[in-house]
Amino acid sequence: MSAPQSCHSFRNDAIGCDDATALAERVRRREISVTELTQAAIARAQAVEPLLHGLASANYDQAIRTASKLDAADQTGSFPLFRGVPTLIKDNTNVLDMTTRHGSLAVPSVPASDTSPFARQLLTQGFLCLGKSTLPEFGFNATTEPAHAPATCNPWNLAYSSGASSGGSAALVAAGVVPIAHANDGGGSIRIPAACCGLVGLKPTRGRLIDNEAAASLPINIISEGVVTRSVRDTANFFEQAETYFRNPGLPPIGRMEGPSGRPLRIGLVLDSINGHKTDDITRWTVEETALKLEKMGHRIEPVPVPVHSTFPDDFALYWALLAFGIRANGRKLLHPAFDKHKTDGLTNGLDRMFRRQFWRLPTALWRLKRSWHDYAHAMAGFDAVLTPVLGHTTPALGHLSPDVPFDTLFERLREYVSFTPLANATGAPAISLPMGHTPDQLPVSVQFMGRHGGERTLLDIAFTLEANHPWPLLCDFSRNHLGSGEQNTRDSLTNPV
């Protein structure tokens, strides 16, 4: 078998292998200009996009104009922390004058008339938006394989999924195009692509960040906004800066975090989900090894039962189906007057049919899902965090979760794969994905830590600890030996055996 092919854009340019925090510092010290940084990111995107397919749309001309204005502005005074750092915003979130198609042919390509509330909270930190990143239709799938467009490939191995629904953001951050990108999470859509692509992905506590419009209209708000990054400090700094724009007074502040505290923690351990599917061997081993590492550092690890009713998988699946039903039935009101429900994909249509058959179960399912907040809070009272897999098995090859797979088969595959992440969405708890291993095909294998409500500082403390003591490899690490050989923009030079 030939060596797996990876795809990255790391090179000896203005970005190098730096994370967002380092790039922002170099801009502040005037070692690089915002224009140089923006041009480097655009060149990287143009080089890898034919292989990765992570961009839904580009905003390069506007980005260059904005960069030039920032460079020409008065350099005195205070600036946002991430001033001039290039980023991407997921294509289910409005940015003024850019299209928002939610990964679907059913939504027309019409420029947005405003910028969504969360996008404003993100962009106020100084980020410069290069474009929109891809997602599966309406974020319903766990792989970014839209029926109408090329699949977004995993940069570690192009034959595999990048995860979803924030798959485009994760692929392009892992490949080095930008150091940080927007992601959001309604059932694992920050943590799953972060896990597949070897990144840090923190889903915050419900209400931590400003909600976009869709979340406010849900009977249970399962959607959280956030980012995917290559370093823990970028994630920590993003949330600290987000609080300067909006801080929920009902939650303890995250504040500034610069490294691990060294405080011993009591951490629960869950290896198998309650849906009847056993975690695969590589994933299970990675979680167990992470637990051993933490024990050696002085933390206390204890097996615990899953803190949720046995009906949870079916209840959450029905709620997932409700969302598809709602979009197909009300897309013209919710998304655009020209929404065409006849153009939705096989997964959306199948979920819609499933809800119509089972809608009578909805009141009881909603009651139990709402109750899960209290059940979870009670179960977590004696623990600082719980360690689990992110996913039921390792990253699948492209096609395994395609919306073209017959619905019944696809649905069962998704239930087996996405078996750990939805609990944090229903309960509103924070959860973080961290890459702690690799498969023989050089795909990252990640673990999840779930925290108490408002406990992001503890999750970031764990993340800083593991990053410092057991740093995970990045695609950048495999390219460092080549950074001094000159820039090469051909597709062949960016595709290498890992």
Side-chain angles (χ1 to χ4, degrees):
M1 185 177 71
S2 61
Q5 294 295 303
S6 68
C7 173
H8 68 78
S9 62
F10 294 104
R11 60 186 68 185
N12 192 19
D13 59 9
I15 299 174
C17 284
D18 284 344
D19 65 1
T21 301
L23 290 175
E25 180 61 25
R26 290 173 61 204
V27 169
R28 277 194 296 278
R29 294 199 301 256
R30 302 190 191 182
E31 294 176 4
I32 53 173
S33 69
V34 178
T35 299
E36 289 173 323
L37 197 54
T38 304
Q39 289 173 334
I42 291 171
R44 289 181 173 206
Q46 291 172 332
V48 299
E49 180 58 15
L51 291 170
L52 290 183
H53 312 295
L55 282 172
S57 61
N59 193 37
Y60 299 153
D61 291 343
Q62 180 59 49
I64 290 292
R65 288 195 293 270
T66 301
S68 298
K69 291 178 182 178
L70 289 173
D71 286 331
D74 185 357
Q75 300 297 310
T76 60
S78 61
F79 297 101
L81 178 65
F82 291 111
R83 179 178 180 267
V85 174
T87 193
L88 299 164
I89 291 180
K90 188 173 171 181
D91 194 30
N92 61 359
T93 300
N94 281 353
V95 176
L96 179 65
D97 294 331
M98 298 185 68
T99 59
T100 305
R101 301 201 66 186
H102 298 269
S104 177
L105 272 181
V107 181
S109 183
V110 178
S113 59
D114 63 0
T115 297
S116 70
F118 172 75
R120 288 196 294 271
Q121 185 177 21
L122 183 149
L123 294 172
T124 299
Q125 297 188 35
F127 293 110
L128 201 157
C129 180
L130 297 185
K132 293 291 200 71
S133 60
T134 54
L135 71 157
E137 184 168 271
F138 308 119
F140 290 149
N141 208 339
T143 186
T144 305
E145 299 180 50
H148 64 283
T152 301
C153 301
N154 191 314
W156 287 89
N157 188 324
L158 297 172
Y160 286 81
S161 169
S162 64
S165 63
S166 310
S169 287
L172 294 172
V173 170
V177 173
V178 294
I180 184 172
H182 169 226
N184 47 30
D185 192 317
S189 295
I190 293 173
R191 292 157 289 157
I192 293 170
C196 293
C197 295
L199 304 175
V200 178
L202 172 59
K203 185 208 87 68
T205 303
R206 181 184 295 141
R208 173 67 72 183
L209 301 177
I210 294 177
D211 288 327
N212 278 330
E213 297 86 344
S217 66
L218 297 175
I220 301 173
N221 179 12
I222 61 172
I223 301 173
S224 293
E225 303 294 332
V227 291
V228 288
T229 71
R230 296 193 298 269
S231 69
V232 178
R233 70 173 183 175
D234 276 359
T235 297
N237 287 340
F238 167 81
F239 279 96
E240 187 261 338
Q241 289 296 300
E243 288 184 327
T244 66
Y245 183 87
F246 163 80
R247 188 176 82 76
N248 186 336
L251 294 173
I254 295 175
R256 183 73 172 166
M257 293 191 69
E258 297 181 311
S261 69
R263 177 172 65 97
L265 303 172
R266 186 183 181 204
I267 301 173
L269 175 65
V270 173
L271 291 170
D272 293 308
S273 71
I274 61 172
N275 66 5
H277 296 289
K278 185 177 175 61
T279 303
D280 76 352
D281 291 342
I282 294 177
T283 302
R284 189 183 190 92
W285 181 87
T286 303
V287 176
E288 290 174 334
E289 284 295 301
T290 302
L292 289 173
K293 290 179 172 69
L294 290 167
E295 282 186 322
K296 290 178 181 178
M297 289 185 280
H299 301 291
R300 182 178 172 185
I301 309 296
E302 299 178 23
V304 294
V306 180
V308 72
H309 195 277
S310 61
T311 61
F312 179 81
D314 290 335
D315 292 342
F316 194 88
L318 184 64
Y319 193 77
W320 178 27
L322 167 66
L323 301 183
F325 165 79
I327 284 178
R328 291 199 84 242
N330 299 300
R332 292 186 177 181
K333 293 180 180 179
L334 296 173
L335 300 175
H336 194 274
F339 174 85
D340 185 354
K341 68 179 181 180
H342 302 293
K343 293 182 178 179
T344 53
D345 71 17
L347 177 57
T348 303
N349 297 339
L351 289 169
D352 177 37
R353 292 192 302 269
M354 187 177 84
F355 178 78
R356 292 173 186 272
R357 290 194 303 267
Q358 301 181 25
F359 71 90
W360 55 272
R361 291 183 44 237
L362 185 63
T364 304
L366 287 177
W367 182 87
R368 285 193 293 252
L369 289 173
K370 290 178 180 179
R371 178 68 193 176
S372 68
W373 186 97
H374 302 280
D375 295 339
Y376 180 85
H378 177 75
M380 288 294 293
F383 292 90
D384 297 293
V386 172
L387 167 62
T388 80
V390 179
L391 293 157
H393 60 77
T394 56
T395 304
L398 292 170
H400 181 73
L401 299 176
S402 166
D404 295 331
V405 172
F407 176 74
D408 290 345
T409 300
L410 175 57
F411 184 71
E412 284 307 309
R413 289 177 179 178
L414 285 167
R415 282 172 64 98
E416 179 179 358
Y417 185 49
V418 186
S419 50
F420 291 93
T421 52
L423 179 59
N425 298 91
T427 63
I432 193 168
S433 172
L434 301 173
M436 293 301 297
H438 274 81
T439 71
D441 292 316
Q442 294 301 332
L443 291 163
V445 182
S446 296
V447 303
Q448 174 178 244
F449 290 91
M450 299 178 66
R452 298 177 184 174
H453 294 104
E456 285 90 339
R457 280 189 68 91
T458 298
L459 297 184
L460 289 167
D461 191 357
I462 295 170
F464 272 122
T465 298
L466 289 171
E467 184 183 44
N469 290 278
H470 301 280
W472 41 83
L474 302 171
L475 271 172
C476 179
D477 298 322
F478 294 102
S479 68
R480 287 184 191 275
N481 293 335
H482 305 290
L483 287 180
S485 60
E487 298 179 28
Q488 300 178 33
N489 293 327
T490 65
R491 288 172 56 179
D492 287 343
S493 72
L494 297 165
T495 307
N496 302 296
V498 173

